[in-house]
Amino acid sequence: MDTYKIAVIPGDGIGKEVVPAAIEVLDEVAKLDGSFQFQWTYFPWGCDYYLEHGEMMPDNGLEVLKQYDQIFLGAVGMPELVPDHISLWGLLIKIRRGMKQSINVRPAKLLQGLESPLKNPHDFDITVVRENSEGEYSDSGGRIHSGNDEIAIQNAIFTRKSTERAMRYAFELAQDSRKHVTSATKSNGLTYSMPFWDEVFNAVKTDYPEIDTSVTHIDALAAFFVMKPQAFDIIVASNLFGDILTDLGGAIMGSIGIAPAANLNIEREYPSMFEPVHGSAPDIAGKGIANPIGQIWTGKMMLDFLGHSEAGTRVLNAIEKVLASGVKTRDLGGSSSLEEVKAAIIQSL
Ligand code: ATP
Ligand code: MG
């Protein structure tokens, strides 16, 4: 029997509610599968920890996390008491960069039983592979005064290594999917970064002759997401483009409360971090009404990454069955509580 040591960081707000619910579901599917089990170790890091200790996680936090197979995270943020840049840079970005989680994978798929603003919604099944460590979200730039004008400069940084890594991962995923990769570009407007992006894409695709490809400008791609989603399978995008596309994906899926995500160290040198798209949702925290599906589906992504895709499929099937039966939290138009949704998913497993 394989045992996986998982570092659990519930974090703040609804993270404290959805993480234990997802862990119950994952323990149940492990028990049913019989070939593996989880060993969960909780770390109370986040904004409460910051208010007590003046830092989001201890100094040796990254060293501690390196001893675990994976990290399962809820959400961090308590905007009324801790400025967002402290919670973000003091924990999330610190872990993503420290563990070299340079790829962010975010599936967007309309599940059975959910309503979408789309016309042909059940064709919506797309995975965005987002470069997670550089690009437009670089820390390079500055502000200058020139004459009586003021200028802000933000540099976008694209390394061949990271660009190629994200693209190769997209092609690998496409092999187990519908064998199509779309590159999100904007080389008609961005004259240095995106022509380079296109060049790397053209080089990488020659190694995957069995995979169909297309190249689409990000503005058109956003429109096609809505108008003809069936044209897409795997999309590879830069940090900013991927961020925007996946929020759009969340909206098309019906609620950000169900959108899953993974920050991957694909070399498996360090643990990866599985963390839903949504934040700590302080407006609904502590009420027992948060949707646990984003966190549970994120757990399914962890199962897949650990090589237990059969158990992962079982979890997603259970989620769809529960939604189709009408058991839904308020964000999806239902009236069920977090506990009711969780219990129904465990029952359905
Ligand atoms: P971040 O800054 O981490 O991106 P945010 O403050 O932008 O987070 P969220 O915390 O995700 O955004 O909340 C955005 C909205 O979505 C809120 O109204 C919140 O209540 C709702 N929401 C987020 N997650 C869930 C969930 N799991 N279930 C129900 N509603 C949710
Ligand atoms: Mg926020």
Side-chain angles (χ1 to χ4, degrees), residues 151-212:
I151 304 173
I153 298 168
Q154 178 83 44
N155 295 312
I157 297 181
F158 288 80
T159 62
R160 186 173 289 273
K161 219 178 192 170
S162 275
T163 305
E164 195 177 319
R165 186 196 287 121
M167 287 172 178
R168 284 197 187 281
Y169 193 68
F171 278 95
E172 300 293 331
L173 283 186
Q175 274 167 335
D176 294 329
S177 189
R178 300 188 300 279
K179 302 206 184 321
H180 190 105
V181 175
T182 303
S183 167
T185 187
K186 190 61 191 173
S187 44
N188 57 356
L190 299 167
T191 49
Y192 293 99
S193 57
M194 284 296 134
F196 175 74
W197 175 274
D198 291 351
E199 188 185 305
V200 177
F201 187 74
N202 284 332
V204 169
K205 79 176 185 195
T206 60
D207 287 343
Y208 300 88
E210 70 285 11
I211 307 288
D212 267 348

Side-chain angles (χ1 to χ4, degrees), residues 14 76 256-257 278-284 290-291 331:
I14 62 168
V76 290
I256 195 177
H278 67 74
S280 57
D283 53 331
I284 57 163
N291 194 336
D331 53 309

Side-chain angles (χ1 to χ4, degrees), residues 12 39 45 47 58 95 124 128 133-134 160 171 175 196 218 257 293 325 329 331 343:
D12 307 310
Q39 201 179 82
W45 302 341
C47 290
I95 298 175
F124 192 75
V128 177
S133 63
E134 51 175 43
R160 186 173 289 273
F171 278 95
Q175 274 167 335
F196 175 74
I218 185 66
I293 290 177
S325 77
T329 43
D331 53 309

Side-chain angles (χ1 to χ4, degrees), residues 22-236:
I23 284 179
E24 265 187 70
V25 171
L26 291 170
D27 276 339
E28 180 67 19
V29 78
K31 201 171 81 191
L32 291 167
D33 184 279
S35 72
F36 66 96
Q37 62 182 5
F38 292 108
Q39 201 179 82
W40 312 99
T41 307
Y42 278 78
F43 295 93
W45 302 341
C47 290
D48 286 332
Y49 190 91
Y50 175 82
L51 293 173
E52 206 174 313
H53 299 92
E55 52 189 0
M56 293 289 292
M57 59 193 274
D59 266 352
N60 69 343
L62 290 180
E63 288 313 308
V64 171
L65 291 176
K66 281 180 189 164
Q67 295 159 21
Y68 291 84
D69 294 315
Q70 312 296 344
I71 303 163
F72 196 53
L73 184 131
V76 290
M78 212 184 262
E80 303 221 321
L81 293 173
V82 181
D84 270 348
H85 71 271
I86 290 183
S87 52
L88 204 64
W89 287 85
L91 197 146
L92 281 183
I93 298 190
K94 193 167 168 177
I95 298 175
R96 285 185 198 153
R97 302 215 165 158
M99 300 294 169
K100 297 196 166 49
Q101 293 159 349
S102 57
I103 289 184
N104 188 232
V105 182
R106 295 182 165 186
K109 172 184 161 83
L110 189 68
L111 302 180
Q112 295 292 327
L114 290 188
E115 292 202 5
S116 164
L118 286 195
K119 243 191 279 171
N120 294 314
H122 287 285
D123 292 331
F124 192 75
D125 182 0
I126 294 168
T127 296
V128 177
V129 174
R130 167 186 169 200
E131 202 295 319
N132 207 24
S133 63
E134 51 175 43
E136 305 87 346
Y137 295 168
S138 80
D139 211 5
S140 157
R143 296 259 300 242
I144 46 176
H145 291 265
S146 166
N148 53 7
D149 204 357
E150 215 181 337
I151 304 173
I153 298 168
Q154 178 83 44
N155 295 312
I157 297 181
F158 288 80
T159 62
R160 186 173 289 273
K161 219 178 192 170
S162 275
T163 305
E164 195 177 319
R165 186 196 287 121
M167 287 172 178
R168 284 197 187 281
Y169 193 68
F171 278 95
E172 300 293 331
L173 283 186
Q175 274 167 335
D176 294 329
S177 189
R178 300 188 300 279
K179 302 206 184 321
H180 190 105
V181 175
T182 303
S183 167
T185 187
K186 190 61 191 173
S187 44
N188 57 356
L190 299 167
T191 49
Y192 293 99
S193 57
M194 284 296 134
F196 175 74
W197 175 274
D198 291 351
E199 188 185 305
V200 177
F201 187 74
N202 284 332
V204 169
K205 79 176 185 195
T206 60
D207 287 343
Y208 300 88
E210 70 285 11
I211 307 288
D212 267 348
T213 60
S214 52
V215 173
T216 308
H217 290 304
I218 185 66
D219 42 354
L221 188 49
F224 291 153
F225 234 57
V226 176
M227 302 305 289
K228 50 164 196 177
Q230 66 281 2
F232 304 105
D233 175 13
I234 312 290
I235 296 176
V236 63

